[in-house]
Amino acid sequence: MHDQAIYGVKPEGRLKVTYTEETFNFPDGEEYKLQTPHYEITDWYAENIAPEDLRISVRIPLRHVGMGQMMALDLDELKRLAAKSNYPEYGISGRLNYITERGIKQIGVSGNKAQHADLTVELGFSSDLGVTNDRYPEEVCQGQSQMMGFANYGIQVSTQDMEDVDLYMQTLGVPARRNVTNETVKKGEEMFYKAKCQLCHTPTLHTRPRGTVLLNGTQLPWLGSQTIHPYSDYLLHDMGPGLDDGYPSGLAAGCEWRTTPLWGIGLQEVVNGHTYFLHDGRARNLTEAIMWHDGEGAASRILFSRMSKEERSALLTFIESL
């Protein structure tokens, strides 16, 4: 939804967000809170479409580190992970999202639901910026009544320019880990494994030998044959009804989400200025993010909650070191 517009044109609408908050306690008595967001569209432009009939799924931007390594992932390794990612004792069974882009059925790796096989540079220009390109030549407001009489300016950005953006995004480095010799961090890593977080947040993966390819076919071979530590299996997991947005993407149901890569997460507050997590930012810190885990993530949530306050704090310190 576009809540801004050029002069003389009415925006599509506004998003109103309210929250309800509940207070809970860990078994040892420590308190934590969870807030549930409620979304409503106001000032909706189209009288013939009722706002309550719209499907709403809210997103906050993903961290843009290690994007090139993600695009160069060894897909055979992901297939093997999906084949063995079945831990019935913990209720975990990850799967790949297969999507069709550019007329080709592919494995999705990017996006909250692994609903894209590339970095969606062209989609970003079109949907986020309203800039037409070869892949999306129509204005995002095409056919809307408030745009009648405005000119169609044709293709507004070249594929070469978009490839430059693709290159920039794919070569953004992953920040080095910090405090790796700190005793609390080491203890937290033990707790990470004790909570079985690694069953989905896979520490180590590899990139395919030839690296990746940009929009115009430019090869990036130096991204190939790397051992990487994204702390993600890039698979879909059912995260329970509390995180179900009711919006399917490819094979992903509303309750299914791609395991979020954890590399760089400890610098999010420094880089982005906030500590909001999960797809819609409802979690205000890492504790809340963990305690929202349900479905296939329930086992880790329960094991985390049963730890002592010191152990939980150490686990969070370890995640912040990534």
Side-chain angles (χ1 to χ4, degrees):
M1 183 180 70
H2 295 87
D3 60 357
Q4 299 186 55
I6 60 175
Y7 291 111
V9 177
K10 182 181 178 181
E12 291 178 334
R14 307 287 183 191
L15 182 67
K16 180 181 179 181
V17 187
T18 57
Y19 295 91
T20 54
E21 186 177 78
E22 292 184 80
T23 301
F24 303 90
N25 291 91
F26 290 110
D28 62 7
E30 184 184 12
E31 184 180 282
Y32 68 94
K33 297 180 179 180
L34 296 181
Q35 62 173 10
T36 301
H38 308 279
Y39 303 116
E40 178 186 356
I41 293 178
T42 65
D43 303 314
W44 181 238
Y45 83 99
E47 294 181 359
N48 61 325
I49 305 174
E52 57 268 22
D53 291 338
L54 299 173
R55 183 179 292 171
I56 303 173
S57 184
V58 174
R59 302 282 191 273
I60 61 170
L62 295 165
R63 286 185 302 280
H64 284 64
V65 297
M67 306 295 278
Q69 284 89 345
M70 178 184 70
M71 292 308 303
L73 281 168
D74 182 342
L75 299 182
D76 288 332
E77 183 174 30
L78 295 190
K79 291 176 183 178
R80 291 193 295 271
L81 272 178
K84 72 173 186 177
S85 180
N86 186 8
Y87 308 96
E89 66 271 35
Y90 301 112
I92 295 174
S93 182
R95 67 188 187 119
L96 292 164
N97 193 3
Y98 283 88
I99 49 90
T100 299
E101 284 187 335
R102 306 175 192 270
I104 303 172
K105 186 177 181 181
Q106 305 175 67
I107 293 174
V109 292
S110 70
N112 288 278
K113 291 179 180 285
Q115 74 272 26
H116 295 292
D118 57 30
L119 298 186
T120 69
V121 173
E122 304 105 318
L123 179 61
F125 269 98
S126 173
S127 181
D128 297 343
L129 301 177
V131 177
T132 56
N133 53 76
D134 284 335
R135 189 174 176 187
Y136 297 97
E138 293 188 344
E139 300 284 355
V140 291
C141 51
Q142 189 79 21
Q144 295 182 5
S145 58
Q146 77 269 34
M147 271 300 294
M148 296 304 179
F150 284 83
N152 185 329
Y153 296 101
I155 302 302
Q156 296 167 323
V157 63
S158 69
T159 300
Q160 181 59 58
D161 285 341
M162 289 188 293
E163 179 165 86
D164 291 341
V165 174
D166 199 21
L167 172 65
Y168 169 73
M169 293 176 68
Q170 293 205 34
T171 53
L172 284 173
V174 181
R177 281 195 60 196
R178 298 155 308 288
N179 306 318
V180 293
T181 60
N182 180 276
E183 291 304 316
T184 302
V185 171
K186 291 181 180 179
K187 178 68 173 179
E189 185 171 14
E190 292 179 19
M191 295 303 102
F192 185 84
Y193 281 86
K194 183 178 179 179
K196 305 303 176 183
C197 303
Q198 86 284 358
L199 297 183
C200 299
H201 291 282
T202 305
T204 302
L205 291 175
H206 304 85
T207 63
R208 55 184 176 266
R210 296 189 64 186
T212 184
V213 181
L214 299 179
L215 297 179
N216 268 340
T218 302
Q219 288 273 349
L220 300 183
W222 55 83
L223 290 176
S225 300
Q226 292 189 11
T227 298
I228 60 175
H229 305 285
Y231 287 84
S232 171
D233 57 10
Y234 293 90
L235 301 180
L236 297 175
H237 294 277
D238 180 347
M239 295 301 290
L243 296 179
D244 190 339
D245 68 347
Y247 191 83
S249 296
L251 299 181
C255 61
E256 290 184 300
W257 301 92
R258 182 200 66 172
T259 304
T260 300
L262 297 182
W263 54 7
I265 197 170
L267 294 176
Q268 179 165 308
E269 185 173 11
V270 173
V271 175
N272 293 5
H274 68 80
T275 57
Y276 298 118
F277 300 110
L278 301 181
H279 66 279
D280 55 5
R282 69 178 64 192
R284 293 162 289 189
N285 51 59
L286 291 172
T287 296
E288 292 185 16
I290 294 171
M291 297 310 292
W292 269 110
H293 281 51
D294 201 0
E296 296 181 45
S300 290
R301 183 198 73 230
I302 294 169
L303 290 168
F304 174 77
S305 68
R306 290 175 179 171
M307 293 177 180
S308 68
K309 183 177 180 178
E310 180 184 10
E311 289 172 332
R312 291 195 300 271
S313 178
L315 193 155
L316 298 178
T317 301
F318 166 70
I319 294 175
E320 289 168 353
S321 78
L322 298 178

